[in-house]
Amino acid sequence: MLALEPAPPLLADLRPALEPESPVALDAPGYLHSASAPAPTPAPGEGPPPGTVLEPQSAPESPCPCPRTVKSQHTEELPDVTTFPPRLLAEQLTLMDADLFKKVELYECLGSIWGQRHQKGSEHVAPTVCATIAHFNRLANCVTTSCLGDHSMRVQDRARVVEHWIKVARECLSLNNFSSVHAIVSALRSNPIHRLHKTWAAVSSKSRKYLKELCKKDTAVKRDLLIKAGSFKVATQERNPQRAQMRLQRQKKGVVPFLGDFLTELHRLDSAIPDDLDGNSNKRRKEVRVLQELQLLQVAAMNYRLQPLEKCVTCFSRMEQLSDKESYKLSCQLEPKSQ
């Protein structure tokens, strides 16, 4: 079983963390990425009636046919990441997401810290946040690459890959891994994949319906709704830190939120509220509340009891990465623009 780290103190006084005594570590690789969610585009296919609830798939899924492989340093051929069953792949993504999210240093999420990443000489600021975002970007890129990167695939084969990722996203949703759900849905709705009309025509109506449901869930499960729902609402209202922690641990349900929602909120607070005497006090109070919510979710992320599979993680980490420009170029080659 995967060893769990000790839970951080809950609902602690986080105000000292807003002004750390030591500077942010600058020796980890940094990544540039917008904290806000990408602009949505219409999801292909017909959607379900309002209020449709997704049911976790209990039956094991057959692997998605995909001929591409990845070679290791020892010339060993590894299967493509999409050949793993949806539930297994969703569990491995959840383990990776949860591990990164638990390690996020909360003060790095502050707009005054995270906002420095675009400044010259501050490219490596907030390394734990950057690591989480880099993984999110890699997953989204992995989805895009698996759909576009193999020219030997026929339209039907490409449609099966799309269907496979939809199944993975549904399994991630059943695991409360909202970060991976958002990454997969964002990739499938991105222009390079969304414009492949022949591919989407070959995707089953059932899968298109599931994707539309996922798009609704992805839009609905935002920071405020996540915190105000169920056990999190009760836990955030607890005045006793130990009692709040015990309440979350008794739920035995892991959660990985989409960190971008919290980064967006903290950036908005830093930009909107002035740093005068009154404004600074109001800003700090609101920032502490958001960080405490993140801290609670970090405790919940420790509730996962999943078995890691090294081969799956290796395949994911070694998968080819395409740039946005390369992805769009490949998309146009597969289905040229109509004249």
Side-chain angles (χ1 to χ4, degrees):
M1 298 299 292
L2 185 66
L4 297 178
E5 301 174 2
L10 257 185
L11 300 180
D13 184 0
L14 295 173
R15 283 169 292 184
L18 304 182
E19 298 177 0
E21 296 180 1
S22 58
V24 179
L26 299 178
D27 56 351
Y31 301 84
L32 301 182
H33 179 73
S34 174
S36 58
T41 55
E46 293 297 326
T52 300
V53 179
L54 297 183
E55 294 293 336
Q57 300 175 359
S58 56
E61 297 288 343
S62 58
C64 172
C66 189
R68 289 180 291 114
T69 58
V70 182
K71 291 186 178 181
S72 70
Q73 295 177 350
H74 303 287
T75 68
E76 175 191 3
E77 288 193 351
L78 297 173
D80 185 88
V81 69
T82 56
T83 61
F84 293 95
R87 181 67 184 189
L88 176 61
L89 182 52
E91 289 177 351
Q92 298 307 302
L93 292 173
T94 300
L95 278 174
M96 289 184 274
D97 283 325
D99 185 57
L100 288 168
F101 177 62
K102 289 184 296 185
K103 294 177 181 177
V104 169
E105 293 287 347
L106 298 183
Y107 76 88
E108 292 181 6
C109 299
L110 291 169
S112 59
I113 303 295
W114 173 241
Q116 297 178 19
R117 69 193 186 284
H118 293 307
Q119 299 177 8
K120 186 176 181 180
S122 300
E123 294 84 0
H124 303 313
V125 72
T128 64
V129 175
C130 289
T132 302
I133 290 175
H135 175 75
F136 177 93
N137 290 340
R138 171 169 282 276
L139 174 55
N141 195 294
C142 178
V143 175
T144 304
T145 300
S146 65
C147 294
L148 302 175
D150 187 358
H151 282 269
S152 67
M153 285 197 300
R154 300 171 301 170
V155 170
Q156 291 80 3
D157 296 328
R158 193 169 296 108
R160 299 295 83 78
V161 174
V162 170
E163 291 176 351
H164 186 78
W165 282 114
I166 293 173
K167 293 175 183 177
V168 174
R170 293 187 75 219
E171 295 291 356
C172 287
L173 182 62
S174 73
L175 291 166
N176 291 328
N177 180 2
F178 303 110
S179 181
S180 284
V181 171
H182 188 62
I184 295 171
V185 169
S186 297
L188 293 177
R189 298 167 78 190
S190 66
N191 197 29
I193 297 180
H194 188 268
R195 63 176 299 279
L196 298 176
H197 300 295
K198 294 180 181 179
T199 297
W200 285 107
V203 173
S204 69
S205 59
K206 185 177 180 180
S207 293
R208 293 198 301 270
K209 176 181 177 180
Y210 286 155
L211 178 58
K212 194 162 187 178
E213 291 173 343
L214 285 167
C215 292
K216 290 182 178 180
K217 291 285 185 180
D218 182 51
T219 302
V221 185
K222 294 300 182 182
R223 167 188 159 257
D224 54 341
L225 297 179
L226 180 63
I227 295 299
K228 292 177 181 178
S231 60
F232 294 106
K233 179 179 180 180
V234 179
T236 53
Q237 293 173 346
E238 285 280 8
R239 295 185 178 181
N240 185 297
Q242 288 74 24
R243 191 178 303 157
Q245 181 175 358
M246 290 175 61
R247 186 181 296 276
L248 285 175
Q249 290 176 337
R250 281 199 301 267
Q251 295 293 322
K252 296 182 179 179
K253 293 182 179 179
V255 175
V256 181
F258 172 52
L259 186 61
D261 287 333
F262 292 85
L263 296 176
T264 299
E265 174 66 10
L266 289 167
H267 180 73
R268 185 190 66 79
L269 287 174
D270 184 64
S271 302
I273 301 179
D275 280 325
D276 54 38
L277 186 59
D278 294 333
N280 190 274
S281 177
N282 185 36
K283 177 191 296 186
R284 291 293 181 261
R285 183 173 62 255
K286 292 183 176 181
E287 287 176 333
V288 166
R289 187 187 69 249
V290 176
L291 295 184
Q292 287 175 338
E293 292 170 356
L294 269 174
Q295 194 177 40
L296 281 171
L297 289 168
Q298 284 182 319
V299 172
M302 296 180 182
N303 287 338
Y304 287 109
R305 298 293 187 272
L306 300 171
Q307 185 68 33
L309 181 63
E310 183 179 353
K311 190 172 186 179
C312 183
V313 176
T314 301
C315 291
F316 176 78
S317 64
R318 293 179 181 175
M319 188 167 182
E320 177 188 4
Q321 297 286 287
L322 296 174
S323 66
D324 292 341
K325 185 176 181 180
E326 291 171 334
S327 298
Y328 187 75
K329 182 179 180 180
L330 284 173
S331 177
C332 292
Q333 290 174 352
L334 293 171
E335 293 190 25
K337 295 180 181 179
S338 57
Q339 301 297 328

